Amino acid sequence: MGQARVSSRASSIAKPNDSPYYIGLDRVSEDAYDELENPNGVIQLGLSENRLSLDLIEQWLSRNLNASILGGGGLSIRRIATYQATRDGLWELKVAMAGFMSQIMGRAVSFNPSQLVLTSGATPAIEILCFCLADPGNAFLIPTPYYPGFDRDVRWRTGVELIPVHCRSSDNFILSITALDQAYNQARKRGQKVRGILLSNPSNPVGSILTRETLYDLLDFARDKNIHIVSDEIFAGSIYGGDDFVSMAEILDSEDVDRNRVHIVYGLSKDLSLPGFRVGAIYSWNEHVLTASKRLMRFCSISAPTQRLLIPMLSDTRFTQEYIETNRKRIQSMYDLFVAGLEQLGIKCAKGSGGLYCWADMRELIRPYNEKGELELWDKLLNIAKINVTPGSACHCIEPGWFRCCFTTLSKKHIPLVIERIRKVVETCKPPS
Amino acid sequence: MAIEIEQPRVGLSKIAVSKTHGEDSPYFAGWKAYDENPYDEFRNPSGVIQMGLAENQVSFDILEEYLEQHAEEASWGKKASGFRENALFQDYHGLQSFRKAMASFMEQIREGRAKFNPDRVVLTAGATAANELLTFILADPGDALLVPTPYYPGFDRDLRWRTGVNIVPIHCDSSNNFQVTPQALEAAYKNAESLNIKVRGVLITNPSNPLGATIHRSTLEQILDFVTIKNIHLVSDEIYSGSVFSPTEFTSVAEILESRSYKDCERVHIVYSLSKDLGLPGFRVGTIYSYNDRVVTTARRMSSFTLISSQTQQLLGSMLSDEKFTGNYITKNRERLRNRYEKMVGGLRNAGVECLEGNAGLFCWVNLSPLLENQTRESELAVWEAILHRVKLNISPGSSCHCSEPGWFRVCFANMSEKTLEVALKRIQSFMEERKITSG
């Protein structure tokens, strides 16, 4: 009797992870650094997780005893257990989430709860939008470098392709409309239908913020080609430095047309440090997309106790305001320390304004100056220095030598240790004087 | 006067505009009627009683009592790092303690007649996601799964919508209490072949929704033999396994595999969830238990799209690991469901209505074919509408479950209080008496 086969879709997913992004994460799980238990373990700088401000949430929890693990209103299971109650996302949670999103974005725009679809994390939110906006074989244009997870989230089950639009350090990795146009035309020549542009803003991994002008240019481009824009704004609240974050929602408020082509993805994994709770959202002005997304949400709804816990938390606007401000200060402070530490080693970072990471320029340290050289350095950093960082090639960066280093999983006292470990490897890479 | 230039509408995918979500069927239309005029004992005693929702509300008090007494363990506990670790935990393997708890709960439901290895438990946000995920893994677009009729209307959406996979029905009828036969299996397979569709597996629900009955052990053996000969997969959705009135009447496919020393087990996958047995559909807790390593690995990775909140895993993990509690819960829950079922069947019989003999689940499979003008789908829908709009009961017509015999209806009894059930039964009695009078 033969072995019952799995689908072709599954076969490609079952293959061992060959991206350095995933390999690095696996190494950390096998040999994680612990100050006491495993001081020679691998230090995690490859996961954009924020551990700087969880104490504020812990304090809120202890102050609000009624908002126990089962959420507000005591232990009544009946009220939260039923499917009807939570099918589409509790209305009160949508209201609270809409308010929180507005706060995160500096109150420059208000979000309408009835245009929100809640999902178990931003990962399914992105996938749902891809299912709704594109057919198998269609494509999204995406500026590089981009978050490695998109290769999985966008492509795995939808059959939708990603077409990279390369950005360069000479432009500070800012997207140029010319490059976008070129990529679009090349796709057309190949007979590949482009359905939209997928952006992350603030950008992952570079950490830059799109200017108002760029946002308008993108909207013009999308209108001209009659395609969608998906704006993943999951780091909108994690900004530092002087620049203000401008959401696509903000520029749409003042322009009535074209709202049907813009969709925003958000979530609480980064700005509120709650990745385990699986809270994401799609915000759209397109009625048909909202209807389809609401129906697809049954495959990825937010768990009832989590919905119940978040309603009072997100509605406590004094708490959220304090959290947002304190968190930003802490990110800024870690960024300054970490970037200064790298500078001591002669490593500069791209100008960053947001996100939980910096985009480090190690081009002078790799030999040969290509992807192979970059991966060799990555390997040394992982196995000799024992720090996990994400090489630019995993993010489809066209220029070798750039690395994403997440610094919000560290505490300040660890920075000297991390810099010291990197120094040891850097010394071996410097050209002989 | 400015000329209005119409903006070209920006296109959506075929999936977005397709009707495969099936939400236009009577199954869902009845819910709408309920939403607009819901029954309430005091505020709206003449409203629509919802009997189309298979939810278990009979044992909430047992859960609440436990959680009240064990609030600390259920919560993040005294450990300062408890909350922090939990909030950051997004590993698609899931909390090991929770997987262990799920495996042990599944074993308890089967009274230890089958063993479950926690490392084969893959967590998903509900059985809806589990069924869809398995379909993505076992079949390519255009392929088919064979599913016995009548089946849960949601399968049309869960198994087909995004996956592009087809459902080819295995026709069952009342001549043998709707049990699957080898002939029916073979006929369905040949049907798919004639349409040039590759069959990738058989998906059964055991106990069955909508029949409310367990599948006989001999039938399970036949189904397992069939999939082995055809070299295809078997998915057994055992989401109602804890709601069997008498535990000895349920045979899980896991037990049969054990009796066969797990020979050729890599083609078998079990779906489970806490939505029915524990009455917690809002918590979104589902699992895939697969005997196939590749399927386990792939399903885990794919579960990134449908992870269970770590808060919920923490909360339920300690409760489900408490074997004294779960043993007591399972026993009491079975008893209460059996009592409801007997009340329901007794009340229907008094009204002159017969049901399929059931032994599990949250619903009865009721035979209203004597009420049909003609033995057609149209007549069945006419009766359904009459019951919805005049008797004010939302029940599910067999046609939305793809039943090949018109006149059967699924009627739920566990999603309401006993009092409400009595009101519903009275309404049915009055309706049947009226019809006796009018038909002279």
Side-chain angles (χ1 to χ4, degrees):
Chain A
M1 296 297 152
Q3 255 253 333
R5 73 186 282 288
V6 296
S7 67
S8 346
R9 269 188 286 228
S11 297
S12 56
I13 296 170
K15 285 203 216 106
N17 277 324
D18 55 3
S19 159
Y21 175 68
Y22 295 106
I23 294 176
L25 292 179
D26 285 343
R27 281 281 273 121
V28 174
S29 10
E30 293 159 15
D31 183 21
Y33 169 83
D34 182 281
E35 199 173 334
L36 300 166
E37 309 277 321
N38 189 18
N40 291 321
V42 182
I43 298 182
Q44 176 70 287
L45 299 181
L47 188 60
S48 67
E49 211 178 64
N50 182 356
R51 296 186 180 210
L52 305 178
S53 308
L54 281 161
D55 57 315
L56 299 175
I57 303 184
E58 279 166 342
Q59 282 164 26
W60 183 90
L61 283 173
S62 61
R63 280 197 310 268
N64 294 269
L65 295 167
N66 278 336
S68 69
I69 196 163
L70 266 181
L75 292 166
S76 166
I77 288 258
R78 186 176 300 265
R79 284 174 58 240
I80 64 169
T82 63
Y83 191 49
Q84 289 293 88
T86 59
R87 191 159 35 132
D88 193 16
L90 288 169
W91 178 251
E92 300 119 294
L93 181 56
K94 288 193 189 187
V95 170
M97 189 71 164
F100 183 69
M101 285 169 71
S102 173
Q103 248 188 320
I104 284 274
M105 303 190 194
R107 296 204 191 284
V109 60
S110 71
F111 291 92
N112 181 349
S114 58
Q115 287 171 240
L116 262 180
V117 174
L118 301 180
T119 58
S120 54
T123 299
I126 296 268
E127 200 201 29
I128 284 181
L129 282 173
C130 292
F131 270 116
C132 289
L133 306 179
D135 291 315
N138 293 163
F140 277 91
L141 298 173
I142 183 168
T144 69
Y146 62 81
Y147 161 57
F150 279 154
D151 285 326
R152 172 197 66 192
D153 300 348
V154 170
R155 295 170 45 215
W156 254 8
R157 308 193 298 185
T158 64
V160 172
E161 289 300 324
L162 284 173
I163 297 176
V165 180
H166 293 297
C167 305
R168 295 161 200 283
S169 56
S170 48
D171 298 322
N172 285 319
F173 294 99
I174 301 290
L175 179 61
S176 97
I177 300 294
T178 316
L180 204 57
D181 203 33
Q182 264 171 10
Y184 181 87
N185 290 329
Q186 278 163 9
R188 271 188 82 185
K189 286 204 189 94
R190 285 195 301 268
Q192 195 171 24
K193 193 154 183 223
V194 172
R195 299 305 286 263
I197 306 167
L198 173 58
L199 307 164
S200 67
N201 180 29
S203 149
N204 181 3
V206 178
S208 52
I209 290 179
L210 294 177
T211 62
R212 207 175 282 269
E213 291 72 45
T214 309
L215 293 176
Y216 277 117
D217 288 343
L218 283 166
L219 197 50
D220 284 340
F221 180 84
R223 177 188 309 124
D224 187 44
K225 311 296 183 202
N226 193 23
I227 58 178
H228 295 272
I229 296 179
V230 175
S231 183
D232 180 355
E233 302 187 349
I234 202 177
F235 292 100
S238 304
I239 55 171
Y240 44 84
D243 299 328
D244 276 332
F245 173 74
V246 179
S247 164
M248 284 250 37
E250 204 182 314
I251 70 161
L252 278 184
D253 249 8
S254 40
E255 301 232 341
D256 251 21
V257 294
D258 289 314
R259 304 202 305 183
N260 277 331
R261 62 178 81 256
V262 176
H263 320 279
I264 294 178
V265 170
Y266 189 63
L268 300 184
S269 300
K270 313 294 179 183
D271 291 346
L272 206 56
S273 317
L274 303 174
F277 289 6
R278 314 312 304 149
V279 183
I282 294 171
Y283 190 84
S284 178
W285 288 261
N286 188 316
E287 219 180 277
H288 301 289
V289 170
L290 285 176
T291 304
S293 301
K294 282 184 189 151
R295 290 179 172 146
L296 285 171
M297 206 217 58
R298 62 186 51 257
F299 298 109
C300 49
S301 308
I302 302 180
S303 186
T306 302
Q307 295 201 37
R308 276 288 162 195
L309 176 66
L310 289 174
I311 290 167
M313 193 190 290
L314 296 181
S315 307
D316 184 346
T317 50
R318 240 183 57 184
F319 161 71
T320 51
Q321 194 56 35
E322 191 199 310
Y323 177 92
I324 292 168
E325 285 169 8
T326 310
N327 184 43
R328 282 198 191 137
K329 288 202 188 97
R330 292 179 181 183
I331 297 177
Q332 171 88 74
S333 166
M334 285 299 287
Y335 173 83
D336 289 341
L337 271 174
F338 191 76
V339 167
L342 287 180
E343 257 187 76
Q344 280 169 25
L345 305 178
I347 298 171
K348 288 201 152 43
C349 293
K351 176 175 187 284
S353 311
L356 309 175
Y357 36 75
C358 57
W359 188 232
D361 181 358
M362 302 196 200
R363 287 177 291 177
E364 288 178 13
L365 302 174
I366 67 175
R367 221 164 356 264
Y369 180 64
N370 58 26
E371 184 175 324
K372 185 163 174 287
E374 176 188 285
L375 289 175
E376 273 170 19
L377 176 56
W378 167 74
D379 190 86
K380 279 196 202 149
L381 288 169
L382 183 60
N383 293 307
I384 300 176
K386 305 204 87 184
I387 61 158
N388 178 37
V389 292
T390 306
S393 49
C395 307
H396 302 272
C397 187
I398 192 87
E399 288 177 23
W402 292 86
F403 288 78
R404 186 189 78 167
C405 311
C406 302
F407 51 77
T408 50
T409 44
L410 303 169
S411 40
K412 286 190 180 166
K413 61 177 180 175
H414 289 125
I415 294 189
L417 170 63
V418 171
I419 299 298
E420 193 45 45
R421 288 192 184 186
I422 300 178
R423 177 195 300 281
K424 294 212 174 73
V425 166
V426 165
E427 313 268 87
T428 69
C429 297
K430 289 245 163 71
S433 42
Chain B
M1 197 167 68
I3 299 168
E4 261 221 42
I5 300 170
E6 210 190 86
Q7 295 290 340
R9 270 221 248 129
V10 58
L12 297 180
S13 69
K14 297 196 178 76
I15 284 178
V17 302
S18 106
K19 297 267 177 223
T20 315
H21 53 76
E23 291 189 10
D24 304 325
S25 91
Y27 180 73
F28 297 102
W31 288 15
K32 191 160 170 277
Y34 166 77
D35 284 337
E36 289 166 4
N37 182 20
Y39 170 84
D40 181 280
E41 189 183 338
F42 303 109
R43 285 175 295 201
N44 190 17
S46 60
V48 176
I49 297 180
Q50 172 66 288
M51 304 189 89
L53 183 60
E55 258 187 19
N56 181 359
Q57 296 182 12
V58 308
S59 307
F60 280 151
D61 56 315
I62 307 177
L63 293 174
E64 278 168 352
E65 191 190 324
Y66 180 88
L67 287 169
E68 227 166 283
Q69 288 168 2
H70 298 84
E72 186 110 345
E73 293 105 295
S75 179
W76 291 291
K78 290 201 176 91
K79 244 177 45 164
S81 61
F83 165 76
R84 178 180 296 250
E85 270 167 23
N86 190 242
L88 293 171
F89 184 83
Q90 54 174 331
D91 182 349
Y92 58 41
H93 288 82
L95 281 176
Q96 223 225 354
S97 54
F98 185 63
R99 275 188 287 122
K100 270 181 88 180
M102 285 298 284
S104 114
F105 187 63
M106 286 169 74
E107 279 175 8
Q108 248 192 325
I109 285 177
R110 291 158 184 74
E111 303 202 311
R113 293 190 299 266
K115 292 249 156 285
F116 291 95
N117 175 355
D119 291 334
R120 294 197 169 282
V121 171
V122 177
L123 302 173
T124 61
T128 300
N131 281 318
E132 194 203 32
L133 222 141
L134 271 175
T135 306
F136 268 118
I137 292 175
L138 304 179
D140 285 308
D143 293 345
L145 292 178
L146 304 183
V147 183
T149 67
Y151 61 77
Y152 162 55
F155 280 160
D156 286 329
R157 169 198 59 211
D158 300 347
L159 307 180
R160 299 184 320 159
W161 195 11
R162 295 196 290 190
T163 61
V165 172
N166 299 299
I167 295 178
V168 171
I170 302 166
H171 291 294
C172 304
D173 59 65
S174 58
S175 61
N176 69 341
N177 291 326
F178 297 94
Q179 288 280 325
V180 172
T181 64
Q183 295 81 357
L185 282 165
E186 197 60 55
Y189 192 88
K190 287 214 164 61
N191 183 15
E193 271 186 336
S194 72
L195 297 166
N196 254 324
I197 296 177
K198 284 211 176 70
V199 174
R200 295 301 184 191
V202 171
L203 189 145
I204 58 176
T205 308
N206 178 28
S208 157
N209 176 8
L211 301 177
T214 54
I215 300 184
H216 298 152
R217 189 190 180 101
S218 52
T219 309
L220 285 174
E221 304 254 16
Q222 284 168 339
I223 296 174
L224 196 48
D225 291 337
F226 176 81
V227 299
T228 307
I229 290 171
K230 301 293 189 199
N231 191 22
I232 59 180
H233 294 272
L234 174 60
V235 176
S236 181
D237 184 342
E238 303 191 349
I239 196 180
Y240 294 98
S241 47
S243 305
V244 182
F245 310 148
S246 166
T248 51
E249 294 186 17
F250 171 64
T251 306
S252 164
V253 70
E255 295 172 50
I256 302 195
L257 289 179
E258 189 151 316
S259 70
R260 295 184 181 194
S261 306
Y262 296 102
K263 180 168 177 290
D264 214 9
C265 62
E266 292 95 21
R267 62 182 74 257
V268 179
H269 325 277
I270 296 176
V271 169
Y272 187 60
S273 144
L274 300 182
S275 299
K276 310 298 179 184
D277 293 344
L278 234 54
L280 303 173
F283 280 44
R284 311 314 301 141
V285 179
T287 111
I288 294 171
Y289 188 89
S290 175
Y291 295 91
N292 183 317
D293 290 343
R294 210 150 168 229
V295 172
V296 170
T297 306
T298 311
R300 269 212 221 296
R301 289 183 184 172
M302 235 190 242
S303 69
S304 311
F305 297 108
T306 183
L307 296 176
I308 301 179
S309 168
S310 51
Q311 171 195 7
T312 301
Q313 295 187 46
Q314 171 74 27
L315 163 61
L316 295 179
S318 60
M319 187 175 85
L320 290 181
S321 309
D322 185 337
E323 292 198 2
K324 211 172 123 217
F325 164 75
T326 51
N328 175 50
Y329 177 91
I330 292 169
T331 307
K332 286 226 174 74
N333 184 48
R334 287 195 209 280
E335 220 177 273
R336 292 179 182 190
L337 288 176
R338 183 179 52 238
N339 289 339
R340 281 290 177 104
Y341 170 79
E342 282 167 4
K343 193 175 199 128
M344 175 88 169
V345 169
L348 288 174
R349 197 163 286 138
N350 286 341
V353 175
E354 290 302 319
C355 308
L356 181 78
E357 197 174 317
N359 61 355
L362 313 175
F363 33 73
C364 289
W365 188 234
V366 177
N367 186 3
L368 294 178
S369 55
L371 299 181
L372 267 53
E373 211 174 298
N374 303 306
Q375 295 305 307
T376 62
R377 185 170 174 268
E378 289 69 33
S379 292
E380 176 187 283
L381 288 177
V383 168
W384 169 73
E385 279 203 39
I387 295 179
L388 180 60
H389 296 292
R390 283 178 21 215
V391 190
K392 301 268 178 43
L393 299 178
N394 177 36
I395 62 179
S396 309
S399 49
S400 54
C401 305
H402 300 275
C403 186
S404 43
E405 274 177 42
W408 292 86
F409 290 77
R410 187 192 77 170
V411 185
C412 300
F413 53 71
N415 61 310
M416 62 192 74
S417 68
E418 261 196 79
K419 264 218 194 112
T420 308
L421 180 59
E422 283 164 19
V423 172
L425 289 169
K426 280 210 191 78
R427 289 188 187 180
I428 295 175
Q429 260 161 353
S430 312
F431 174 70
M432 293 301 290
E433 272 164 21
E434 253 179 57
R435 285 195 82 119
K436 257 197 238 136
I437 294 170
T438 55
S439 61

